[in-house]
Amino acid sequence: MIKKQWLLAGTSLLLAGSLAACSSADENTEANGETAAASGQTKLVYWSIDRHDSDFIEQKISEYEGLHPEIDIELKVMAENYAQSVDIAFSSKQAPDILRVDTGNVPTWVKKGYLESFDSYMSEEMKSRFENVLINEKNTVEGKVYTLPNIGQFWRLIYNVDLFEQAGITEPPTTLAEMVEDAKKITEAGKSSGAYGFAGNFKSSSGFERIAYPITTLSKNTGTEGFDFQTGQFDFGMYKEVAEALRQIEQDGSMLPGSESLDIDPLRAQFAQGKIGMYFNHSVEPSVYKTQFPTEVRWAAALPPTIDGTQNGASQVIAGSYLAMSKDSEHKEEAWKFIEWLYSDEVQVAYQEGGYGVSVIPSVAAVAKAPDIPGIEHFLPTSYDGIYPATPIVITEGRLEGMKKVDVFNRYIFGGGDLDKELEDLNARYNAALEKAKAAGDTTIEAQPDFDAGALQKSLADK
């Protein structure tokens, strides 16, 4: 029987006064473990941050326990402050056996001694299944594998077919210039209904990135997240054309009013009401419009436009990390067998077909059917999608002095200014912070002079 617990790991958990409550929960876990031991079972504790797939995971845990009655698995879904909760668990010797890991946490948790390497556990067949999707500092650290990918975020331009047709536009834009012009046409044609050509959730720290990253990674072949892999330095000039296009859309009056303070759900609500011509987001959107914001709007999605219409790189797929095994686990063999089973093609095919995400595992993507969700077909892997190496952006911003890149770009889009000067300042400050991170041993990422994002094409699909 699954013992699933929802933990609110909020600020109180981080205070000394909360340790008593934490101890109470641990006593329950210990009691459950004693019960499992008394029945001759091995107790495994699995921590996750994912609510959206918890029902599926519960079902799979029940299935696994049915196949292995000697195993008892407890799932705990954490609500917030997950990383701090993990720190507390390891420091108090109460860490889970299996834990969900975010990409940004992998190098840090390896350095802290939290994670067990998969290398001695993986079969040659399993290594072969994943060899083309392993990324340094996302899956591996110093050549050792600590986690494997499962699904990815496939980024697209999402557009209202009705508004496009109303404006006389027959196809989604393939260049930045077309995107600017189409936004203007849609706004002019939509005046009577209050529709605008473009919107972005610029309130979010990822608002600019959701637009700039897909366009630039498909346009250029040097890097992503502002990091040039060829030089090993930050160069935010790669986003100049996108920033200028968005500034033009705002000046043309084609941007949904209030976009500078708009969050993603209010944006979706406006799109579902037919008020937005186009915006950028990833493969979660079909589920959103099926359940969260049902809409009568005819919508579709397309690969991002590029700067000049040429696809020199690959549209960045955000993927990399999923499950990890605790170095402190007393049941590593049992934990690994469960992890290996969750990563199996059988389970991962069911995961995609159930609508929980689009797989980046080639053996899964080759056979998994599209889930029964309208629009998901636009987000399945294409030959122009690719997983990029990790960049040191998170580590660098932890040491950055002054304004972050997203705030600088937003200020320019909605207020104008000297973009070249801003880019020069951004590069100087980010590269100074990067040098500090390197000196502290926080990152081992170096320049890759022969890096070519175009080589990522066809790495996930050949069509």
Side-chain angles (χ1 to χ4, degrees), residues 257-423:
S259 285
E260 64 271 27
S261 58
L262 194 64
D263 219 334
I264 188 61
D265 275 350
L267 184 155
R268 289 163 168 161
Q270 290 289 307
F271 184 81
Q273 294 170 20
K275 303 300 183 183
I276 297 171
M278 51 186 157
Y279 74 104
F280 287 81
N281 214 3
H282 56 81
S283 37
V284 72
E285 298 304 84
S287 294
V288 167
Y289 291 120
K290 180 179 180 179
T291 58
Q292 189 177 358
F293 296 104
T295 179
E296 298 299 320
V297 164
R298 287 192 302 146
W299 67 273
L303 282 170
T306 61
I307 292 170
D308 61 4
T310 58
Q311 297 163 317
N312 298 309
S315 181
Q316 181 185 20
V317 176
I318 307 298
S321 305
Y322 182 41
L323 300 178
M325 182 162 54
S326 168
K327 200 173 186 68
D328 290 353
S329 174
E330 296 180 357
H331 308 291
K332 291 187 176 71
E333 288 292 341
E334 293 85 352
W336 169 252
K337 289 179 180 178
F338 177 63
I339 290 172
E340 183 180 37
W341 185 75
L342 281 184
Y343 273 116
S344 69
D345 279 0
E346 175 188 359
V347 174
Q348 290 302 312
V349 166
Y351 194 90
Q352 173 167 311
E353 292 181 351
Y356 300 102
V358 178
S359 182
V360 298
I361 306 170
S363 58
V364 174
V367 298
K369 299 175 183 177
D372 184 21
I373 303 174
I376 193 65
E377 66 274 11
H378 303 302
F379 296 86
L380 298 179
T382 75
S383 60
Y384 291 105
D385 293 302
I387 302 174
Y388 281 66
T391 78
I393 186 67
V394 175
I395 293 295
T396 298
E397 288 194 336
R399 295 179 176 275
L400 182 69
E401 295 182 6
M403 189 177 290
K404 291 184 178 180
K405 64 183 184 308
V406 64
D407 298 316
V408 171
F409 281 114
N410 285 357
R411 182 173 64 184
Y412 170 75
I413 292 166
F414 294 100
D418 188 337
L419 182 57
D420 288 329
K421 184 177 179 180
E422 296 281 19
L423 291 172

Side-chain angles (χ1 to χ4, degrees), residues 156-192:
R156 302 289 186 258
L157 173 74
I158 300 156
Y159 63 99
N160 182 317
V161 176
D162 296 319
L163 290 179
F164 267 60
E165 290 183 354
Q166 182 180 330
I169 306 169
T170 58
E171 300 288 343
T174 59
T175 68
L176 273 180
E178 287 177 4
M179 187 178 82
V180 172
E181 185 61 25
D182 287 351
K184 190 173 183 179
K185 289 179 180 178
I186 292 167
T187 303
E188 291 174 351
K191 286 181 179 179
S192 61

Side-chain angles (χ1 to χ4, degrees), residues 136-138 224-225 227 229 234 389-395 443 445:
N136 181 39
E137 294 199 9
K138 288 186 178 181
T224 186
E225 297 177 350
F227 188 74
F229 292 108
F234 283 98
T391 78
I393 186 67
V394 175
I395 293 295
T443 181
I445 294 175

Side-chain angles (χ1 to χ4, degrees), residues 20-21 46 60 79 114 130 153-155 213 301 333 340 367:
Y46 171 13
K60 291 304 172 183
Y114 293 173
F130 287 91
Q153 295 175 353
F154 290 78
W155 294 80
Y213 289 1
E333 288 292 341
E340 183 180 37
V367 298

Side-chain angles (χ1 to χ4, degrees), residues 52-360:
H52 77 286
D53 65 359
S54 60
D55 289 342
F56 176 87
I57 297 298
E58 283 186 44
Q59 293 169 7
K60 291 304 172 183
I61 288 175
S62 291
E63 186 177 332
Y64 188 83
E65 290 176 335
L67 296 170
H68 302 276
E70 74 281 6
I71 301 296
D72 177 64
I73 301 172
E74 179 180 6
L75 174 66
K76 293 184 178 181
V77 181
M78 319 296 280
E80 54 186 58
N81 289 325
Y82 180 61
Q84 293 94 327
S85 300
V86 170
D87 285 335
I88 291 172
F90 275 94
S91 66
S92 60
K93 304 298 181 183
Q94 296 165 343
D97 302 280
I98 302 158
L99 60 161
R100 173 76 161 81
V101 59
D102 274 341
T103 297
N105 289 329
V106 174
T108 301
W109 286 0
V110 169
K111 189 175 182 180
K112 289 180 177 180
Y114 293 173
L115 306 185
E116 175 79 3
S117 169
F118 286 177
D119 291 77
S120 63
Y121 299 90
M122 293 176 68
S123 66
E124 291 304 314
E125 184 276 334
M126 192 173 190
K127 290 177 182 178
S128 177
R129 284 176 61 223
F130 287 91
E131 64 181 348
N132 292 328
V133 290
L134 294 180
I135 303 298
N136 181 39
E137 294 199 9
K138 288 186 178 181
N139 308 108
T140 66
V141 177
E142 296 183 354
K144 293 184 177 181
V145 179
Y146 289 93
T147 182
L148 301 166
N150 70 329
I151 61 171
Q153 295 175 353
F154 290 78
W155 294 80
R156 302 289 186 258
L157 173 74
I158 300 156
Y159 63 99
N160 182 317
V161 176
D162 296 319
L163 290 179
F164 267 60
E165 290 183 354
Q166 182 180 330
I169 306 169
T170 58
E171 300 288 343
T174 59
T175 68
L176 273 180
E178 287 177 4
M179 187 178 82
V180 172
E181 185 61 25
D182 287 351
K184 190 173 183 179
K185 289 179 180 178
I186 292 167
T187 303
E188 291 174 351
K191 286 181 179 179
S192 61
S193 61
Y196 288 81
F198 195 90
N201 58 316
F202 292 101
K203 178 181 179 180
S204 168
S205 60
S206 65
F208 174 74
E209 297 166 356
R210 290 171 189 247
I211 303 166
Y213 289 1
I215 293 172
T216 305
T217 51
L218 191 55
S219 299
K220 302 183 179 183
N221 66 354
T222 57
T224 186
E225 297 177 350
F227 188 74
D228 187 325
F229 292 108
Q230 295 176 359
T231 64
Q233 295 283 295
F234 283 98
D235 180 7
F236 293 100
M238 66 177 66
Y239 301 127
K240 181 178 179 180
E241 295 93 341
V242 177
E244 289 175 335
L246 292 174
R247 174 63 180 158
Q248 187 63 53
I249 289 173
E250 198 279 333
Q251 287 186 302
D252 288 344
S254 306
M255 185 87 72
L256 181 74
S259 285
E260 64 271 27
S261 58
L262 194 64
D263 219 334
I264 188 61
D265 275 350
L267 184 155
R268 289 163 168 161
Q270 290 289 307
F271 184 81
Q273 294 170 20
K275 303 300 183 183
I276 297 171
M278 51 186 157
Y279 74 104
F280 287 81
N281 214 3
H282 56 81
S283 37
V284 72
E285 298 304 84
S287 294
V288 167
Y289 291 120
K290 180 179 180 179
T291 58
Q292 189 177 358
F293 296 104
T295 179
E296 298 299 320
V297 164
R298 287 192 302 146
W299 67 273
L303 282 170
T306 61
I307 292 170
D308 61 4
T310 58
Q311 297 163 317
N312 298 309
S315 181
Q316 181 185 20
V317 176
I318 307 298
S321 305
Y322 182 41
L323 300 178
M325 182 162 54
S326 168
K327 200 173 186 68
D328 290 353
S329 174
E330 296 180 357
H331 308 291
K332 291 187 176 71
E333 288 292 341
E334 293 85 352
W336 169 252
K337 289 179 180 178
F338 177 63
I339 290 172
E340 183 180 37
W341 185 75
L342 281 184
Y343 273 116
S344 69
D345 279 0
E346 175 188 359
V347 174
Q348 290 302 312
V349 166
Y351 194 90
Q352 173 167 311
E353 292 181 351
Y356 300 102
V358 178
S359 182
V360 298

